[in-house]
Amino acid sequence: MAAFLQWRKFVFFDKEVVKEHGDTGKNVVLPSGISACDSGRGHIVLGDMDGKVWLLTRSLQLTPFQAYKLRVTHLYQLKQHSILVSVGQDEHGINPLVKVWNLDKKDSGTPLCTRIFPAIPGNKPTEVSCLGVHENLNFMAIGFTDGSVVLTKGDITRDRHSKTMTLHEGNSPITGLAFRQVAKATHLFVATLEKVYCYTLSIKEYPKVELDTHGCSLRCSCLADPSQDSQFIVAGDECVYLYQPDERGPCFAFDGHKLLAHWHRGYLFLLIRDPKSPNKTGFGSRESSSSDKQFLTIYDLDNKFIAYSTQFDDVIDVVAEWGSFYILTRDGKMFVLQEKDTQTKLEMLFKKNLFVMAINLAKSQHLDSDGLSEIFRHYGDHLYLKGDHDGAIQQYIRTIGKLEPSYVIRKFLDAQRIHNLTAYLQALHRQSLANADHTTLLLNCYTKLKDSSKLEEFIKSSESEVHFDVEIAIKVLRQAGYHSHAVFLAEKHMHHEWYLKIQLEDIKNYEEGLRYIGRLPFEQAESNMKRYGKTLMHHVPEGTTLLLKGLCTKYQPNGDGANKDSLDPLLNNKANSEEFIPVFANNPRELRAFLEHMIKVEPHSPQGVYDTLLELRLQDWAHEEDPARKKVLQEEAVLLLRSDNTVFDKALVLCQMHNFKEGILYLYEKGKLYQQIMHYHMQNEEYGKVIEACKRYGDQEGCLWEQALGYFARKEEDCKAYISEVLHHIDQNNLMPPLLVVQTLAHNSTATLSVIKDYLINKLQRESQQIEDDERKICQYRVETAHLRSEIQDLKTSAKIFQKTKCNMCNSPLELPSVHFLCSHSFHQHCFESYAESEAECPTCTPENRKVMDMLRAQDQKRDLHDHFNRQLRSSSDGFSVVADYFGRGVFNKLTLVTDPPGSKPVGSLEVNLQRDLLIHTKRNC
């Protein structure tokens, strides 16, 4: 039971007398003899003792219509329909009539009355005490002074679609009726002077529940709105009771004789008689003496305070309309109570430091989150100034999301209240509104307080509860020396770089770092090995080498960290082994094992792998003193060179640096550097090797014999055997002119004429033989030329007799028409036309003539090839033969261009008439 005296009292309403519109300033005067009131649908409805119903609009215009002949006793205005239900009398005696009015429809200027029926329970005439109508227009309840309740079910606006029944009978007068609709459940509360009942109308049998054994006076009951769960309020003289359909709810000790109870917009209005006024008895008495003082009190049951309290003289009723509350008094005045706005009410509470009440009020008024946050801030500031830092931080926490966090953080940093600041920062992180600075500050608070349990709880929250920047947290923990916490956080949230940085740089746990890298996906494992490979190789060489072997062949993560994508056989998860060679800078043994593994597993490894392995093998070969082992290392190095995977230039430099003879000679031969091979043997004075190199490579590069001859010629020791062998090859292949050979050997003081005697004799004999052959050919060509000239002369001067009897094509006897050529070939005309390619050429002689023409044309094309001539002249051992050849082609002859007749082909610079006689044939038809 809530005590009335404990409730604080405020003035949340402004009271004014309603005045007429305009500049007159006169008070609104109500009709006299008002007997009933109600409001809704934009007007206040008044009923008087003369049977009239008055409609008061917002513009304060009163419009009457005659509803009854005698008087109006009850009015009920529906809130969701323009339907007015009235009870009154048209005849003297006890004859109450119920009329239903449709205010939207007019009948001769009067609202349309859609239904009239007498209000009589059974056959006994009795007075109506109260009236209730359901908003869905399907139920209407009428209470009587004899204790009975009549229920009308169906369309209450029509007689045809409704039926009436007596729902309740008793001996105590009915003082209050109220319909309650929650979801599909419909209830009717019935209050009498002695008891309170509830009927369930949504069940066919209309079951009844007796809720209490004491009732209330007339007009002292009402129904609350959904904010109070639509409870039925009964105002007794000692207490105010609230009822659910099946039980009694809370009770409030509001003392005093109640005259009126209303519920409007979350407020309970109670009209209480002044205790100093004389009591009046009698049911339903509405008349009061002029000295009857009454107190109107407005209660806020949710927030437990009195919103307003004032005194009136003889109140008729309290109604709510147009956003305000109106009090009608017996003297014809109408007062308005206008509720102050929420902000004004809150400021009033702030002045009295009633922040808890302000918060509750703001929530009941459905103030937005910004408004509530402002109240929490005021409340927090108040508690902070009082020194209640714990309470202040709780209020500041409720402002998160609206109030700038720096406002709170600055206060508690200045006050050095780290515990309170920690609580605020924790709440800030729980709501995911913390930035990197807030995370840093919170972790610093934990470390300052040395609160490891809270720190672990913060960082070990589940994935769905992480409300902070993980990377910032790792940085702060690492800086504060909480390496184990930082490592946990980095591993949990897969911040691989931070995990490895802490493990390898701070904790120095190299084995764990290496194990962790082996669990990462390929790309991350590769990048981290490039970053930390040297460090790991220095401290964990075997494990690092093993991991690199896997990383550069077919990498698969180990353990639970394996990513499904990394295990896809279609992905080529292979690192470039050449990029990891610098990791082994100070570990040659591991590097050798790594490289040998790579070329064994991956024969197509990068060239850098082979080059580095070659360098290692050459170093081992150079430093090895055991002959047997040195031989093995030499074979391994040569085998690596023969794999053709090394870079030629690099390999050659390495072999030269280590004076690796077999490798140098192999690479020279591989690169076709035959002169370098010669020079190598010459530098080492290996005479036999020089001759052997000339024999092997002399065919590819003829100058080798010349170089060998010059080399031996410069030697002062006896090299006659070698010189003889070189001269023999030069003589056989005609590599040098004899004069040049003699000049070359003249530099050797030990060489005598006997060395080149045989060479010179052979050379002279061959040249003499060559001269004889050339003279013989000249004579032959002269004879042939004279014969050709005689034939040409005969063709020019003598007649040509054609005596052929057979066709040279088909070998059949000739028949007319036939074709004869000067070359003594004859053809049938049809054979000639079938086989001849041109009418002016003999089909038999054409192939041979074309060969001659092609040779002449080729010679003409080569006459201007000076570069080719010069090149041949420089490279030939006998320049005179080259010049003679070009003289024979006519290169040095004066060119004469001859224009042939149309249709003929241009030829070279030979005599025009001679060419025509030889190559152009005359066609004759016989």
Side-chain angles (χ1 to χ4, degrees):
M1 180 180 293
F4 166 74
L5 295 178
Q6 295 177 351
W7 287 26
R8 300 187 68 96
K9 185 176 180 180
F10 301 98
V11 182
F12 286 165
F13 289 86
D14 295 324
K15 173 184 171 184
E16 294 180 2
V17 178
V18 180
K19 299 181 180 295
E20 296 179 355
H21 291 297
D23 299 331
T24 59
K26 295 182 179 180
N27 296 339
V28 172
V29 179
L30 299 176
S32 60
I34 294 176
S35 56
C37 298
D38 206 353
S39 64
R41 303 298 292 180
H43 51 249
I44 296 174
V45 186
L46 308 174
D48 60 15
M49 300 299 292
D50 295 330
K52 291 181 181 179
V53 174
W54 300 77
L55 299 178
L56 179 63
T57 63
R58 188 164 191 173
S59 60
L60 303 180
Q61 298 293 325
L62 280 168
T63 304
F65 68 90
Q66 193 70 39
Y68 295 92
K69 296 179 181 179
L70 294 182
R71 62 174 181 168
V72 180
T73 59
H74 298 82
L75 291 174
Y76 194 98
Q77 172 64 55
L78 276 76
K79 304 300 184 288
Q80 300 177 12
H81 304 276
S82 294
I83 300 296
L84 174 66
V85 181
S86 63
V87 179
Q89 293 179 351
D90 281 342
E91 299 177 357
H92 292 283
I94 303 176
N95 296 304
L97 286 178
V98 178
K99 294 184 180 183
V100 180
W101 307 86
N102 189 337
L103 301 181
D104 288 342
K105 296 181 180 181
K106 301 295 182 180
D107 181 12
S108 300
T110 301
L112 177 63
C113 182
T114 61
R115 184 180 183 187
I116 302 176
F117 65 93
I120 301 176
N123 295 322
K124 299 181 293 181
T126 181
E127 293 284 351
V128 173
S129 59
C130 53
L131 174 66
V133 183
H134 199 291
E135 286 292 333
N136 62 11
L137 301 179
N138 286 330
F139 293 103
M140 179 168 58
I142 305 173
F144 296 90
T145 57
D146 65 351
S148 58
V149 176
V150 173
L151 178 68
T152 298
K153 183 179 180 183
D155 189 351
I156 65 169
T157 63
R158 300 182 183 182
D159 292 324
R160 183 181 303 174
H161 301 289
S162 64
K163 59 181 180 179
T164 302
M165 61 172 291
T166 301
L167 179 67
H168 177 79
E169 292 183 346
N171 297 322
S172 179
I174 305 298
T175 59
L177 297 171
F179 287 98
R180 180 181 188 268
Q181 183 73 44
V182 177
K184 295 183 179 180
T186 304
H187 298 90
L188 174 63
F189 289 101
V190 178
T192 69
L193 285 174
E194 298 176 354
K195 294 183 180 181
V196 179
Y197 304 92
C198 180
Y199 287 86
T200 304
L201 303 183
S202 52
I203 299 177
K204 188 175 181 180
E205 291 79 12
Y206 301 154
K208 179 179 68 172
V209 176
E210 182 178 320
L211 298 176
D212 215 334
T213 56
H214 55 78
C216 64
S217 302
L218 195 63
R219 303 200 302 167
C220 290
S221 63
C222 59
L223 190 72
D225 57 24
S227 65
Q228 285 293 332
D229 200 17
S230 300
Q231 297 182 92
F232 186 56
I233 300 174
V234 175
D237 287 343
E238 296 179 355
C239 297
V240 173
Y241 303 92
L242 276 66
Y243 297 93
Q244 296 281 358
D246 54 352
E247 61 180 353
R248 192 175 83 177
C251 172
F252 299 93
F254 300 151
D255 199 4
H257 181 66
K258 312 301 187 300
L259 302 176
L260 182 67
H262 273 311
W263 182 274
H264 291 303
R265 285 178 18 209
Y267 291 111
L268 175 63
F269 290 76
L270 290 182
L271 188 64
I272 304 173
R273 187 195 304 276
D274 188 353
K276 299 178 181 179
S277 300
N279 292 333
K280 293 197 174 183
T281 58
F283 170 75
S285 177
R286 295 189 181 182
E287 296 181 358
S288 302
S289 65
S290 59
S291 62
D292 190 2
K293 297 293 183 180
Q294 301 165 349
F295 286 98
L296 178 64
T297 307
I298 304 175
Y299 298 94
D300 188 330
L301 299 185
D302 279 338
N303 301 311
K304 305 295 187 297
F305 64 81
I306 298 174
Y308 188 72
S309 181
T310 187
Q311 184 177 354
F312 289 99
D313 294 331
D314 203 359
V315 176
I316 299 175
D317 208 341
V318 178
V319 294
E321 193 63 30
W322 311 313
S324 301
F325 302 106
Y326 294 89
I327 293 89
L328 312 180
T329 58
R330 192 71 60 186
D331 56 5
K333 293 181 181 180
M334 184 166 66
F335 297 89
V336 60
L337 295 180
Q338 291 183 340
E339 188 176 5
K340 298 179 185 294
D341 61 86
T342 304
Q343 190 60 39
T344 302
K345 291 189 285 187
L346 292 176
E347 290 177 357
M348 295 172 64
L349 294 174
F350 292 161
K351 290 180 181 179
K352 298 182 179 182
N353 294 329
L354 300 175
F355 294 99
V356 176
M357 190 171 289
I359 293 169
N360 295 332
L361 176 64
K363 290 181 178 179
S364 65
Q365 297 287 331
H366 304 291
L367 198 65
D368 60 9
S369 56
D370 291 334
L372 282 172
S373 176
E374 186 65 17
I375 299 173
F376 296 142
R377 184 187 69 80
H378 281 297
Y379 194 14
D381 291 345
H382 172 69
L383 295 176
Y384 183 85
L385 292 174
K386 288 177 60 179
D388 185 3
H389 296 97
D390 295 337
I393 205 64
Q394 294 303 318
Q395 299 307 316
Y396 286 134
I397 287 174
R398 301 169 79 176
T399 66
I400 291 176
K402 300 298 179 181
L403 181 63
E404 176 61 36
S406 59
Y407 177 85
V408 180
I409 294 172
R410 192 181 303 112
K411 282 179 174 290
F412 287 90
L413 279 176
D414 294 341
Q416 297 184 354
R417 301 287 297 184
I418 297 181
H419 288 86
N420 301 125
L421 181 59
T422 303
Y424 180 78
L425 292 171
Q426 285 176 334
L428 201 62
H429 282 79
R430 281 194 296 270
Q431 298 188 32
S432 301
L433 295 174
N435 57 28
D437 294 333
H438 299 150
T439 302
T440 304
L441 186 56
L442 177 58
L443 293 173
N444 284 328
C445 288
Y446 284 143
T447 55
K448 287 281 186 181
L449 296 173
K450 301 188 183 302
D451 193 344
S452 298
S453 61
K454 283 287 187 181
L455 185 59
E456 291 185 6
E457 180 183 350
F458 178 74
I459 66 172
K460 293 183 179 181
S461 57
S462 63
E463 286 290 337
S464 60
E465 296 176 355
V466 175
H467 307 292
F468 57 90
D469 189 323
V470 176
E471 188 172 359
I472 293 297
I474 294 173
K475 289 181 181 179
V476 175
L477 291 171
R478 184 190 182 201
Q479 186 177 3
Y482 286 79
H483 295 130
S484 60
H485 297 78
V487 164
F488 170 83
L489 208 55
E491 183 176 13
K492 178 181 178 182
H493 298 282
M494 301 180 70
H495 284 263
H496 309 307
E497 294 182 0
W498 281 108
Y499 180 89
L500 293 172
K501 188 177 292 187
I502 298 170
Q503 285 283 18
L504 300 178
E505 297 179 11
D506 299 331
I507 305 179
K508 309 293 184 183
N509 191 348
Y510 303 105
E511 291 82 0
E512 179 61 27
L514 185 64
R515 180 195 63 79
Y516 187 84
I517 293 177
R519 296 169 52 195
L520 297 178
F522 170 73
E523 293 80 3
Q524 297 172 359
E526 181 185 20
S527 63
N528 283 292
M529 282 305 296
K530 289 178 180 178
R531 179 178 300 176
Y532 300 107
K534 290 184 178 180
T535 303
L536 293 172
M537 181 63 67
H538 178 70
H539 295 90
V540 195
E542 294 182 0
T544 305
T545 304
L546 185 62
L547 178 58
L548 286 175
K549 288 180 180 179
L551 192 65
C552 296
T553 52
K554 187 74 175 175
Y555 178 72
Q556 289 185 350
N558 300 321
D560 299 335
N563 191 348
K564 293 182 179 179
D565 295 338
S566 300
L567 301 178
D568 189 350
L570 299 178
L571 294 177
N572 187 20
N573 289 337
K574 296 179 183 178
N576 187 352
S577 53
E578 187 176 2
E579 296 178 354
F580 290 98
I581 292 177
V583 172
F584 299 88
N586 299 317
N587 299 77
R589 183 172 62 86
E590 285 77 12
L591 176 59
R592 186 182 304 105
F594 171 73
L595 296 176
E596 290 178 350
H597 172 80
M598 289 307 304
I599 63 172
K600 180 180 179 181
V601 178
E602 296 288 339
H604 301 291
S605 294
Q607 290 181 337
V609 172
Y610 287 90
D611 293 337
T612 307
L613 183 58
L614 175 63
E615 183 178 3
L616 289 174
R617 288 182 176 180
L618 290 177
Q619 288 177 354
D620 293 344
W621 173 84
H623 294 90
E624 184 62 48
E625 297 180 355
D626 184 6
R629 177 62 181 164
K630 196 177 187 70
K631 182 66 175 178
V632 173
L633 292 174
Q634 174 181 319
E635 292 176 354
E636 290 179 353
V638 173
L639 183 63
L640 193 61
L641 288 173
R642 295 184 184 277
S643 65
D644 295 333
N645 289 306
T646 57
V647 179
F648 180 84
D649 296 337
K650 293 182 179 179
L652 184 59
V653 170
L654 289 174
C655 291
Q656 291 173 344
M657 287 173 57
H658 296 87
N659 196 21
F660 186 58
K661 176 180 179 181
E662 288 75 7
I664 294 173
L665 294 177
Y666 170 76
L667 292 173
Y668 281 160
E669 183 179 1
K670 178 182 177 182
K672 297 181 180 181
L673 303 175
Y674 306 125
Q675 294 189 32
Q676 280 79 354
I677 296 176
M678 285 278 296
H679 294 161
Y680 185 83
H681 291 313
M682 291 175 181
Q683 289 175 357
N684 292 279
E685 298 184 349
E686 298 173 342
Y687 301 151
K689 295 288 185 180
V690 171
I691 299 298
E692 183 182 348
C694 289
K695 291 179 179 179
R696 291 183 61 183
Y697 312 118
D699 295 339
Q700 288 87 352
E701 197 162 346
C703 63
L704 295 180
W705 290 105
E706 299 176 15
Q707 294 178 5
L709 182 63
Y711 171 73
F712 288 120
R714 288 190 297 271
K715 291 295 181 182
E716 296 299 327
E717 61 266 22
D718 189 6
C719 297
K720 294 181 180 180
Y722 299 109
I723 293 175
S724 299
E725 187 173 359
V726 171
L727 287 174
H728 176 71
H729 283 278
I730 291 176
D731 185 29
Q732 283 186 342
N733 297 285
N734 195 21
L735 299 178
M736 293 177 63
L739 183 59
L740 183 61
V741 171
V742 173
Q743 291 176 347
T744 302
L745 290 176
H747 296 288
N748 192 333
S749 59
T750 60
T752 61
L753 186 61
S754 61
V755 177
I756 61 172
K757 181 178 71 173
D758 295 337
Y759 166 75
L760 293 175
I761 292 173
N762 292 334
K763 191 70 175 177
L764 292 172
Q765 288 177 350
R766 280 197 302 272
E767 287 184 353
S768 298
Q769 184 66 34
Q770 182 68 33
I771 291 171
E772 292 176 0
D773 292 341
D774 291 342
E775 289 178 350
R776 186 172 57 252
K777 285 184 180 180
I778 289 171
C779 293
Q780 180 183 351
Y781 290 154
R782 285 176 178 174
V783 172
E784 292 177 356
T785 302
H787 177 69
L788 287 174
R789 289 184 183 276
S790 64
E791 285 186 357
I792 293 170
Q793 185 64 27
D794 291 341
L795 289 173
K796 287 181 177 180
T797 60
S798 304
K800 181 70 175 178
I801 299 173
F802 300 101
Q803 295 179 345
K804 287 284 186 177
T805 59
K806 291 185 179 180
C807 176
N808 287 95
M809 194 66 67
C810 63
N811 206 23
S812 299
L814 285 173
E815 297 176 355
L816 296 177
S818 61
V819 180
H820 302 276
F821 286 90
L822 292 176
C823 58
S824 300
H825 292 140
S826 300
F827 307 92
H828 292 107
Q829 185 173 0
H830 61 84
C831 290
F832 175 75
E833 292 176 351
S834 299
Y835 292 97
E837 296 181 4
S838 173
E839 294 181 357
E841 295 182 0
C842 172
T844 303
C845 298
T846 296
E848 189 65 27
N849 290 341
R850 285 189 177 177
K851 291 182 180 179
V852 175
M853 294 298 293
D854 289 341
M855 291 173 61
L856 293 174
R857 191 177 295 110
Q859 289 182 357
D860 290 340
Q861 291 177 354
K862 292 182 179 179
R863 286 177 183 175
D864 295 331
L865 299 180
H866 303 296
D867 294 339
H868 182 69
F869 166 73
N870 292 329
R871 186 164 56 253
Q872 281 191 339
L873 187 62
R874 285 195 302 269
S875 61
S876 176
S877 59
D878 188 2
F880 292 102
S881 62
V882 176
V883 174
D885 180 47
Y886 273 81
F887 263 109
R889 297 181 190 177
V891 172
F892 303 104
N893 293 344
K894 182 179 179 181
L895 299 181
T896 302
L897 297 178
V898 180
T899 304
D900 292 333
S904 64
K905 297 182 180 179
V907 295
S909 62
L910 294 178
E911 187 179 349
V912 176
N913 294 330
L914 179 61
Q915 294 179 18
R916 289 181 180 177
D917 291 337
L918 290 173
L919 301 176
I920 301 178
H921 308 282
T922 304
K923 182 178 76 170
R924 293 184 180 181
N925 295 330
C926 299

